[in-house]
Amino acid sequence: MSQARGRSGKGHASSLAATSKAGPSKKPVPVQYAVDDSSSDSDDNDAHPSGVQDSSSHVTLHGSYEDACLICLENVRSQDAVWQCEQCYVLLHLPCIQSWVRDGVVPHSVLSNDAFPSRKIPWCCPKCRRIYDRDDAPTRYTCFCKKEINPSSDPWHAPHTCGQPCHKKLVPSCGHLCPELCHPGPCPPCPVTLQSPCFCGNQSNMRRCAQREWSCGKPCGDLLSCKMHKCAFPCHPGPCPPCPMRSQQRCRCGRSEEMRPCAEVGWQCGSVCARPYGCGHMCAKVCHYEGECGEKEDR
């Protein structure tokens, strides 16, 4: 045992000596990979809560746009004159869209300019294909709210904006104007709060103007067209559906009575009217409302 310990001790000492001669051991250096933070930041900034991206999300902190012009495929910069579609809100260079309009209109000009000088040939957006009139062709560079012509580049404002309130009419139309500053893309939903009744009018709550139409979920209770039953459907927009109940109803001439759906009013029993005319003859028309006999037809 003592010899084994001695041998192990000598072995340990020899290993320490070898280590000291070789110098201190170097620790492994972790490998560092380059991470592109720009892509992750842009993905986070471009993500919209509803999963839809609009043109306003492409404005970077340096005042440039990440998207390229779909016509020339060059990047849209903050100092470039631009045009924005009113439907898809794509941002294009102003000279590019002007050239697009000219190149698209001229090949389709079948009629002569001299013979038909006032004709109007439509053109469309290169992305969403919305059709514009010839008079809607852009002729000048304006901000997004169209209040300022040739908007100056201001580091405190987003590119191509004037810094003034947008004040466009909100869609769907509610009578209010957009309160946001001049911005690209669509206007946000109307943020105005107001007292709004439900569809049936039994309850009223303070709601956002963009969500002012709502249902309380309780039975409608409006009197149906049969004038006997009330609507049992949950609070709903528009007119009430036909009455699903059945009731005793008389025919048009009033001689017969049957159990029929309330929605089927004015049914005919099929019998001849036989009301007497002043001349003594009888009405030969099939079951009809009173007063529709008319005058006797001469034969």
Side-chain angles (χ1 to χ4, degrees), residues 15 122 196 256:
S15 64
S196 177
S256 301

Side-chain angles (χ1 to χ4, degrees), residues 15-29:
S15 64
L16 290 175
T19 304
S20 62
K21 291 179 181 180
S25 60
K26 296 182 179 180
K27 296 182 180 180
V29 179

Side-chain angles (χ1 to χ4, degrees), residues 3-254:
Q3 293 178 356
R5 290 178 180 177
R7 291 174 182 175
S8 63
K10 291 179 180 180
H12 181 64
S14 61
S15 64
L16 290 175
T19 304
S20 62
K21 291 179 181 180
S25 60
K26 296 182 179 180
K27 296 182 180 180
V29 179
V31 179
Q32 297 181 355
Y33 297 93
V35 179
D36 187 7
D37 295 336
S38 61
S39 61
S40 61
D41 294 342
S42 63
D43 293 340
D44 295 339
N45 294 333
D46 291 347
H48 195 274
S50 61
V52 180
Q53 296 182 357
D54 53 24
S55 301
S56 60
S57 63
H58 298 286
V59 184
T60 63
L61 297 177
H62 301 288
S64 61
Y65 283 78
E66 299 175 3
D67 286 347
C69 176
L70 297 181
I71 300 176
C72 67
L73 302 182
E74 295 289 339
N75 290 332
V76 179
R77 300 175 299 177
S78 59
Q79 62 269 24
D80 295 337
V82 296
W83 172 84
Q84 179 181 245
C85 177
E86 297 178 358
Q87 178 169 299
C88 65
Y89 304 102
V90 65
L91 206 62
L92 306 173
H93 292 122
L94 181 62
C96 294
I97 189 62
Q98 291 175 340
S99 176
W100 171 273
V101 174
R102 289 193 302 268
D103 296 343
V105 168
V106 172
H108 294 84
S109 300
V110 181
L111 305 178
S112 171
N113 289 329
D114 298 333
F116 301 91
S118 61
R119 75 187 190 282
K120 296 182 180 180
I121 302 176
W123 57 279
C124 63
C125 170
K127 182 179 180 181
C128 66
R129 299 297 175 180
R130 176 190 169 176
I131 298 177
Y132 289 89
D133 293 334
R134 189 68 177 88
D135 297 336
D136 295 332
T139 57
R140 55 188 180 180
Y141 169 44
T142 63
C143 63
F144 292 115
C145 68
K146 303 185 184 304
K147 288 188 179 70
E148 185 175 334
I149 302 175
N150 296 324
S152 59
S153 179
D154 191 333
W156 296 102
H157 299 156
H160 317 295
T161 61
C162 62
Q164 303 179 33
C166 175
H167 284 175
K168 289 182 180 178
K169 293 183 179 180
L170 294 175
V171 179
S173 179
C174 61
H176 300 123
L177 303 178
C178 178
E180 300 289 336
L181 295 179
C182 180
H183 60 86
C187 297
C190 183
V192 178
T193 56
L194 44 80
Q195 195 76 18
S196 177
C198 62
F199 293 119
C200 65
N202 293 327
Q203 295 185 14
S204 180
N205 290 332
M206 290 295 296
R207 301 180 65 88
R208 295 273 186 178
C209 182
Q211 302 174 351
R212 62 186 180 276
E213 296 182 352
W214 62 287
S215 172
C216 64
K218 296 183 178 180
C220 174
D222 288 347
L223 190 64
L224 297 175
S225 58
C226 64
K227 308 300 181 182
M228 292 184 293
H229 305 107
K230 293 184 178 181
C231 179
F233 284 86
C235 179
H236 59 85
C240 297
C243 181
M245 307 297 290
R246 298 175 66 88
S247 61
Q248 286 290 134
Q249 297 185 22
R250 288 187 174 275
C251 64
R252 296 184 180 182
C253 64

